Amino acid sequence: MKSRRDFLLELGGSAFSLPLLSSLASTEAQALAPDKQLRVVLVGLGSYAERVATAMKDCKKARLVGGVTGTPSKIDTWSSKFGVDKANFYSYKDFEKLKDNPDVDAVYVTLPNSMHHEYVIRAAKMGKHVICEKPMSVSVKQAEEMIAACKKAGVKLYIGYRMHFEPYTRELIRMRKAGELGKIMHVNAYFGFKSGDPNQWRLKKALAGGGALMDVGIYCINAARYATGEEPVWISAEEAKTDPVKFKEVDETITWQMGFPSGVIASCATTYNFNNFERLYVVGDKGFVELSPAYGYGPIKGRTHKGEMSWDTSKMHQTWQMDGLADCILNGKPDPNVTGEEGLKDMKIIDAIYKSIAAGGKKIML
Ligand code: NDP
């Protein structure tokens, strides 16, 4: 496997690699003084928050300093597990007290999807930078309001699109931008899994907004955009519902096509009802990249027309992500493609996919 140093050297000539370079370089630098770290509070201490907190233990430029929870019994565990001061835990009702805590720079919203809108806007009003999990909202209107609130407050809004910080994905994008794949001819993207507990919030429309598409299909939407470097101009979609009882409120399995201005079509699918479904295949007239697995926590694996890919998998994705975002917020590094505006683009595509399904698979122009 290549060392991180090899990786840095290989990427060194590419302007595209600069944000990643800075993120990687940060991991080799001396730890910065605490006041130069991005001090982050997680909102909603569930399973993904725990993963982010674990990954942040290895961050050099970002640090977990607190949490917001509706479950007071989590405070002791979180405080001891992640070394966080108990005074920096808040309830949802007390959320606004964060405003008076000068030791918090940013909040990271890891709540169920339909709660993102409210907590992003409340955080922005307090003047805190915001990182929000995907999907950024449950509607286009909500996403627009979140962007407007952050703009008005002069704070950053980033969506938790961790793949943009992940080395295999970064290499795919670099190769496409450098023309190494030639003219992109086709994208095939699929991601899904068999969901368990029928009572979980992910299967309730009021909390999740939608099903597999909003949860994991969104990775394929985002991937089709970064694999082509284009924005789709039309969508067509269909849903297969093999378990109408379990998936009464949300979508189960969806296949869709995204048409791009160059004429390229991305063929995509997502599901909540079976496993072993995770791949991104990008083929151009000079070469290809296949990542599989392509979106999970890793390790990501891949091959190109030149052979097997071998990149650094030593860090959790969220470690790269949080150091990278800290660099943007604290050091003015250029925003990667994970801004609120990028999240909004994906929400518009999700909206078009649902519209197409409702219209019996009709082509929806964007
Ligand atoms: P969990 O159910 O594990 O955690 C959600 C947490 O939100 C709960 O533990 C709870 O924390 C809090 N919460 C507040 N109100 C409610 C409510 N009414 N119902 C349920 N939970 C509530 O979900 P995940 O951590 O898996 O997902 C959270 C977000 O993260 C989602 O938007 C999801 O899409 C995203 N995600 C992103 C991933 C990625 O790779 N980028 C991977 C997994 C999830 P408390 O007890 O502290 O109040």
Side-chain angles (χ1 to χ4, degrees):
M1 179 195 288
K2 288 187 173 81
S3 70
R4 202 178 317 137
R5 188 163 299 281
D6 292 339
F7 182 50
L8 285 165
L9 287 171
E10 286 188 30
L11 286 179
S14 157
F16 169 74
S17 64
L18 285 175
L20 176 61
L21 266 175
S22 54
S23 156
L24 290 175
S26 74
T27 65
E28 294 198 334
Q30 292 288 307
L32 295 173
D35 65 346
K36 287 287 184 189
Q37 290 182 310
L38 185 74
R39 297 159 304 176
V40 180
V41 161
L42 282 159
V43 186
L45 306 183
S47 61
Y48 194 64
E50 190 148 353
R51 181 169 287 272
V52 172
T54 305
M56 285 182 72
K57 283 182 173 181
D58 291 328
C59 281
K60 295 289 184 282
K61 297 196 174 183
R63 184 161 52 101
L64 181 67
V65 295
V68 178
T69 180
T71 314
S73 59
K74 288 181 183 173
I75 296 173
D76 273 352
T77 323
W78 270 69
S79 174
S80 58
K81 198 166 171 186
F82 300 111
V84 174
D85 187 344
K86 280 187 195 168
N88 281 348
F89 285 88
Y90 301 84
S91 67
Y92 298 112
K93 201 159 74 55
D94 288 342
F95 189 61
E96 273 66 28
K97 287 191 179 160
L98 272 168
K99 186 177 182 181
D100 303 320
N101 188 335
D103 298 328
V104 175
D105 305 307
V107 305
Y108 191 159
V109 178
T110 50
L111 289 160
N113 307 343
S114 68
M115 300 173 77
H116 295 176
H117 174 256
E118 175 185 342
Y119 283 87
V120 166
I121 291 174
R122 283 170 71 179
K125 284 186 178 158
M126 289 191 277
K128 305 292 182 188
H129 297 291
V130 196
I131 305 163
C132 174
E133 255 321 308
K134 42 55 57 179
M136 73 181 284
S137 61
V138 295
S139 71
V140 169
K141 182 170 174 287
Q142 281 190 352
E144 287 169 344
E145 288 169 359
M146 291 155 78
I147 292 168
C150 291
K151 260 203 186 108
K152 188 172 171 202
V155 298
K156 295 274 192 183
L157 172 59
Y158 294 123
I159 312 305
Y161 290 134
R162 62 186 156 74
M163 303 319 297
H164 288 262
F165 302 86
E166 186 282 318
Y168 282 71
T169 307
R170 297 301 304 251
E171 173 63 2
L172 180 157
I173 298 170
R174 187 203 64 76
M175 288 178 73
R176 189 262 298 159
K177 283 193 168 184
E180 291 174 24
L181 305 179
K183 181 175 166 359
I184 302 300
M185 304 303 290
H186 188 72
V187 176
N188 181 214
Y190 49 83
F191 189 25
F193 68 100
K194 187 163 180 65
S195 73
D197 179 8
N199 298 314
Q200 60 183 299
W201 65 260
R202 280 183 168 76
L203 303 186
K204 298 193 191 327
K205 191 166 169 58
L207 282 166
L213 180 65
M214 284 216 175
D215 192 17
V216 285
I218 194 169
Y219 283 89
C220 304
I221 293 171
N222 202 256
R225 293 176 48 238
Y226 59 68
T228 56
E230 296 185 63
E231 299 303 328
V233 287
W234 61 262
I235 299 288
S236 68
E238 289 181 58
E239 183 186 0
K241 186 92 90 178
T242 65
D243 188 343
V245 177
K246 184 167 180 181
F247 303 104
K248 186 171 165 225
E249 294 189 29
V250 300
D251 45 280
E252 176 203 305
T253 302
I254 293 179
T255 63
W256 73 96
Q257 296 195 314
M258 301 164 70
F260 292 90
S262 62
V264 174
I265 294 177
S267 174
C268 308
T270 187
T271 187
Y272 258 171
N273 212 16
F274 51 88
N275 290 323
N276 305 308
F277 199 55
E278 183 176 345
R279 181 176 182 245
L280 172 59
Y281 184 63
V282 188
V283 59
D285 60 7
K286 288 192 190 154
F288 71 88
V289 178
E290 180 187 39
L291 301 184
S292 184
Y295 319 99
Y297 299 139
I300 304 301
K301 290 185 182 150
R303 63 189 183 102
T304 75
H305 53 287
K306 293 179 189 157
E308 291 299 310
M309 297 169 82
S310 176
W311 298 97
D312 188 349
T313 54
S314 64
K315 297 237 178 282
M316 292 172 74
H317 298 173
Q318 298 82 1
T319 308
W320 300 125
Q321 174 197 353
M322 295 307 290
D323 269 341
L325 293 181
D327 242 346
C328 299
I329 294 173
L330 297 178
N331 303 324
K333 291 275 158 65
D335 287 333
N337 286 342
V338 301
T339 56
E341 284 79 3
E342 294 295 319
L344 172 62
K345 287 177 192 167
D346 289 346
M347 290 311 300
K348 286 183 174 168
I349 294 167
I350 286 174
D351 189 55
I353 291 172
Y354 286 135
K355 279 192 177 125
S356 175
I357 292 168
K362 192 176 148 218
K363 199 183 254 194
I364 304 291
M365 303 310 292
L366 290 166

